[in-house]
Amino acid sequence: MRGADGRTTIPTTRVVGLVGGGSQQPLPPLAAPGGRRPQPVGVGRQDAARERVGRRLYAIDGIRLLAALMVAVHHFAGTGRVDQPGNAIWDRPVSDIMPTVFRFASYGWIGVEIFFVISGFVICMSCWGRTPRQFFVSRVIRLYPAYWFAVLFTTGVLVAVPGVWERLRMREVLLNLTMLQSGSGVANVDGVYWTLWSELRFYLLFLAVVATGLTYRKVVLFCCVWGAAAMLAPASGFRLLELAANAEGAWYFIAGLALYLMHRFGQDLLLWGILAMAWLMGQLELGHRIDEVEHVSGWRGSVLIFTVFLLAMVAIALGATDRVRWKWLVTAGALTYPLYLVHYAAGTTLINRLRDTMDARLLVVVVLAGFMGLSWVVHRVVERPVSRLLKTGLTTARCPPA
């Protein structure tokens, strides 16, 4: 039989995603003569996909932490800034201090692109079957508690230990608490916050699909329309379209959406085509970022890392990692967001003060371990209780009458 989204459907029960939510599927088809039910095309593949939908994907938690560590090591020992003579962090080129670490760390920025792909996957999974209000509440309680701490913590570090990074004025710090500072032309308290602006624009666009009820067909259409807009926007010269289309990040999010559809409904040629297009556009954006921002790594190596990651995500989406159920990966995934938010400005400031006290490689490990410990504290002491309070308040808040 055909569902509302035009896809062939099969008997199933209510399913629950990684962060919650689900969708009620159609009733089983009538039995055919002889007691046998008609078997839709691709039913075996869809059966396997349906069985996977309600399971926790532990492997994604592990990849998220790996991506966060890649970004952190890159910021500490692999950027063009830290490889300049007389830089404020190491005082001399890090490629002279630890050349092997620098060679690998120079590719760590790709962790951001990995985050974007995972975000597309997880957002689609977590809001399937949810209302726009539930989607809004889930994003607020997920993003803001740790972020508010990070803004105040980083500002405090830069006030206490000046000289490495410029501290913003108080009115700019306060605006940073909204997470909307990029839209107002105000600098970020910490440079890593630029990715949150990209995430917020994705959420706003995807909210339009959530409001209509997520289906296979609607998500595919969204991928195609957004992808087309992202390709046309740079040539249009229309600033608002460029802002909404987010050409620099769109295809990474689209890849994540296609991967989740593979996970939920099974693979098909259309989804493989979207993923292939995302890879082609992604490799171009990787090259642009190397030429315009990073200047420290090669295109071939970057594309290789990105390709290996996408293949790993395909394996996760198709169930190849279902046996990976290590409980510690849940904690690892919980550390990722706080670690990403607090490590950069504060961590490099700390390196500046400690760089002459121990071996540079050991210092990177010590600082990284310290911020992982801080991230665990933020998760337990800040994120959990504040998220509960926010969820209660936002869920019980009265909506204005229509």
Side-chain angles (χ1 to χ4, degrees):
M1 65 182 291
R2 294 278 178 177
D5 57 2
R7 298 278 292 174
T8 303
T9 57
I10 58 172
T12 183
T13 57
R14 186 171 180 84
V15 293
V16 181
L18 177 65
V19 188
S23 58
Q24 188 66 45
Q25 302 298 330
L27 294 173
L30 295 176
R36 292 186 302 175
R37 291 173 178 165
Q39 296 297 306
V41 177
V43 67
R45 190 165 61 233
Q46 289 191 1
D47 268 329
R50 298 289 186 181
E51 290 175 1
R52 291 194 300 268
V53 167
R55 300 174 183 172
R56 172 112 192 180
L57 300 177
Y58 292 88
I60 285 185
D61 290 316
I63 291 180
R64 288 174 59 209
L65 181 62
L66 176 61
L69 292 174
M70 288 172 59
V71 173
V73 173
H74 173 69
H75 285 151
F76 293 164
T79 65
R81 176 185 174 120
V82 298
D83 201 41
Q84 298 299 315
N87 67 82
I89 299 167
W90 292 100
D91 192 43
R92 58 195 179 102
V94 74
S95 59
D96 293 342
I97 302 173
M98 39 184 171
T100 301
V101 173
F102 173 76
R103 190 175 301 115
F104 286 98
S106 64
Y107 288 91
W109 57 269
I110 302 172
V112 170
E113 281 66 28
I114 294 174
F115 281 141
F116 287 163
V117 175
I118 292 176
S119 181
F121 187 104
V122 172
I123 292 303
C124 193
M125 172 164 50
S126 63
C127 66
W128 202 280
R130 288 190 173 188
T131 65
R133 178 171 179 166
Q134 290 172 324
F135 175 65
F136 170 77
V137 171
S138 71
R139 292 303 87 206
V140 169
I141 66 176
R142 177 70 182 97
L143 292 179
Y144 277 95
Y147 175 75
W148 288 331
F149 172 86
V151 169
L152 299 177
F153 170 78
T154 300
T155 300
V157 170
L158 299 186
V159 170
V161 189
V164 180
W165 297 98
E166 182 179 354
R167 179 169 59 89
L168 301 184
R169 291 173 292 184
M170 183 53 63
R171 61 175 176 267
E172 295 172 326
V173 173
L174 292 175
L175 185 62
N176 265 251
L177 293 173
T178 68
M179 207 182 289
L180 303 175
Q181 63 274 8
S182 294
S184 301
V186 172
N188 295 306
V189 166
D190 192 314
V192 299
Y193 299 166
W194 73 267
T195 62
L196 300 177
W197 180 234
S198 191
E199 292 270 355
L200 287 175
R201 285 179 284 166
F202 164 51
Y203 297 159
L204 185 60
L205 290 175
F206 200 59
L207 180 61
V209 190
V210 174
T212 65
L214 294 182
T215 65
Y216 171 93
R217 180 179 295 175
K218 290 176 183 177
V219 176
V220 165
L221 181 62
F222 173 79
C223 291
C224 295
V225 172
W226 190 19
M231 287 188 289
L232 296 174
S236 70
F238 185 28
R239 179 55 183 159
L240 183 59
L241 178 60
E242 293 178 23
L243 184 66
N246 187 15
E248 298 81 8
W251 283 101
Y252 302 118
F253 293 113
I254 290 171
L257 294 173
L259 285 163
Y260 178 68
L261 292 180
M262 284 187 181
H263 173 72
R264 187 177 186 91
F265 296 102
Q267 57 183 309
D268 59 36
L269 184 59
L270 179 57
L271 296 179
W272 278 110
I274 294 173
L275 191 60
M277 191 67 177
W279 181 88
L280 290 170
M281 297 302 295
Q283 61 82 28
L284 180 65
E285 288 301 327
L286 292 176
H288 287 165
R289 185 166 172 186
I290 291 169
D291 294 340
E292 299 170 8
V293 180
E294 301 299 337
H295 309 295
V296 291
S297 51
W299 174 83
R300 289 183 179 86
S302 301
V303 172
L304 176 61
I305 295 171
F306 182 64
T307 303
V308 169
F309 158 72
L310 276 187
L311 292 175
M313 286 298 296
V314 168
I316 293 171
L318 299 182
T321 62
D322 285 352
R323 293 186 179 181
V324 177
R325 299 182 182 180
W326 305 323
K327 299 298 183 182
W328 64 268
L329 288 174
V330 178
T331 302
L335 299 181
T336 301
Y337 184 53
L339 175 62
Y340 178 78
L341 292 175
V342 301
H343 80 274
Y344 186 27
T348 49
T349 298
L350 189 59
I351 289 174
N352 167 266
R353 291 298 188 267
L354 299 177
R355 66 192 179 203
D356 297 324
T357 63
M358 64 185 77
D359 179 81
R361 291 162 296 187
L362 177 60
L363 177 57
V364 169
V365 173
V366 169
V367 172
L368 193 55
F371 277 93
M372 289 181 68
L374 175 62
S375 300
W376 183 85
V377 173
V378 172
H379 173 64
R380 295 297 298 265
V381 178
V382 178
E383 277 194 302
R384 282 187 173 182
V386 176
S387 294
R388 284 195 294 267
L389 290 173
L390 284 175
K391 184 175 182 179
T392 300
L394 292 173
T395 302
T396 58
R398 294 182 179 180
C399 292

